[in-house]
Amino acid sequence: MPVVIAVGLAGFVIGGATPAVAGPQPLATKQSVPVGSGLVPVYDPTTKAAGMATPQAAATIISAYWTPARKAAARPAPLDTGAVQTSSGRQPQGKPQNIADPTRPAADAFRPDVAFTNTDGKVFFHDPVDGNDYVCSGGAINSGKRRLVLTAGHCVHRGGGGQWMQNWTFDPGYQFGVGTPGSFPAYQLWAQTSWINNDDHHFDYAFAITQNGSHGGKLVDTVGGNGLTVNPGRPFITFIGYPDNVSNTEQQANCQGQLSRRSIFNSDQQLNCNLGGGSSGGPWLQNYSDANGLGWAVSNTSYGINPDPQGPVFGPYYDGDTTNLYNAAENASP
């Protein structure tokens, strides 16, 4: 049975199993199941305690943890290169389907600049295994509850039977420091069992449910949200994220290109861009508009096959499993 310890905050749990999270049942024909973190994985350096916290307690720990100095020192999460596990036998099926459409901010307070958007941003987390702080990329995704961030699976969970990442937070519109919209700490993290258990890069995508931001308000109400398309084919896309080969992850970068199939034996998406560490999880957006800073996410940066940051890079092919994960995270959102 988990032991509750006092760290100056109520709702911080050490040890024990992660609570089960109810969610929609995935389609019986699918090969992977959505799994949520339940509570929020956290690490409190003042007490050296690590465990699961309620969202309210986690928000306090996460806000105190991510000082400007820690954010500046966070390392770019490296892209996996060389031999990676991927369910290459899976074949794309079905017609393109828009699961969510893009939406502008509720108050339209944060207008995009050309080739810059507040809808996408920087992900920060603490790795419980090596004890380091890392940076990934991510993007807000529209949904009814307006709290979801899309990123890579390895930016929320170590995979291969490992652990959830800790002190997870999202800074939309980051540009040489925290963006005007502020920071949005995690409420829950969601990933696929095929990533969590098997490191299968076909499932290297994830959704984080966010709490209200440091300035108040829901994420999508504050900065807008991209759409989401499954079974997208091989469209022309715009990558947006924070690779370390551009200002050492301090500046939002973009790259455009036509997606292709990795090989006749592997259905993963291929993008011919040189993206370094930190680009993991950055959304690949179809029909991206400089006018409103929005597009439809069809994949995300996952891995490479050459030494980082030499291209090309690869991302998962979004399909019905992606829809299941999106629905599970949305249903679990407050």
Side-chain angles (χ1 to χ4, degrees):
M1 190 171 180
V3 177
V4 179
I5 66 171
V7 293
L9 293 166
F12 188 51
V13 179
I14 284 292
T18 300
V21 177
Q25 294 298 312
L27 299 177
T29 56
K30 295 299 177 183
Q31 299 178 5
S32 192
V33 178
V35 173
S37 61
L39 298 176
V40 187
V42 294
Y43 169 69
D44 187 345
T46 61
T47 62
K48 307 299 183 184
M52 309 298 286
T54 62
Q56 182 177 7
T60 301
I61 293 171
I62 293 170
S63 177
Y65 184 82
W66 288 112
T67 62
R70 276 204 175 99
K71 285 185 174 179
R75 306 178 181 187
L79 287 176
D80 286 340
T81 57
V84 297
Q85 172 68 22
T86 182
S87 48
S88 57
R90 292 171 60 90
Q91 297 300 318
Q93 297 180 5
K95 297 179 179 179
Q97 181 181 6
N98 291 336
I99 304 303
D101 290 326
T103 187
R104 298 177 72 95
D108 209 17
F110 301 106
R111 293 182 178 275
D113 297 321
V114 174
F116 177 84
T117 174
N118 284 293
T119 308
D120 301 305
K122 211 167 177 179
V123 168
F124 293 91
F125 59 89
H126 178 78
D127 189 325
V129 175
D130 65 19
N132 292 320
D133 297 329
Y134 288 100
V135 170
C136 277
S137 302
I141 296 292
N142 188 28
S143 70
K145 297 176 182 176
R146 306 175 79 79
R147 293 188 180 275
L148 298 184
V149 175
L150 171 70
T151 188
H154 67 267
C155 300
V156 305
H157 194 282
R158 258 197 163 249
Q163 302 178 52
W164 294 102
M165 300 303 185
Q166 298 168 337
N167 295 4
W168 197 101
T169 196
F170 178 62
D171 286 9
Y174 186 100
Q175 194 82 330
F176 298 102
V178 178
T180 305
S183 190
F184 292 76
Y187 175 89
Q188 279 182 14
L189 306 175
W190 281 81
Q192 294 280 10
T193 53
S194 290
W195 171 257
I196 290 173
N197 297 328
N198 304 320
D199 282 338
D200 188 339
H201 283 72
H202 181 84
F203 298 92
D204 189 16
Y205 52 84
F207 290 100
I209 306 169
T210 58
Q211 302 186 53
N212 286 359
S214 50
H215 303 316
K218 297 180 179 181
L219 174 64
V220 174
D221 285 342
T222 304
V223 300
N226 293 306
L228 177 68
T229 300
V230 299
N231 301 316
R234 313 292 175 180
F236 182 87
I237 64 93
T238 300
F239 156 84
I240 296 177
Y242 295 83
D244 64 0
N245 50 323
V246 178
S247 300
N248 195 31
T249 80
E250 284 296 299
Q251 183 178 8
Q252 193 176 94
N254 65 81
C255 183
Q256 294 181 315
Q258 184 77 39
L259 296 184
S260 60
R261 184 178 176 129
R262 177 176 171 181
S263 73
I264 61 172
F265 305 107
N266 190 314
S267 64
D268 290 346
Q269 302 278 25
Q270 176 173 325
L271 175 63
N272 294 326
C273 288
N274 293 333
L275 303 178
S279 66
S280 295
W284 296 5
L285 301 172
Q286 183 178 14
N287 295 329
Y288 175 77
S289 169
D290 280 339
N292 61 22
L294 300 168
W296 280 261
V298 299
S299 188
N300 59 265
T301 308
S302 172
Y303 67 96
I305 56 174
N306 298 313
D308 189 24
Q310 299 301 311
V313 291
F314 302 92
Y317 191 93
Y318 289 175
D319 55 17
D321 287 315
T322 317
T323 304
N324 284 337
L325 186 63
Y326 171 87
N327 288 336
E330 172 68 359
N331 288 350
S333 297

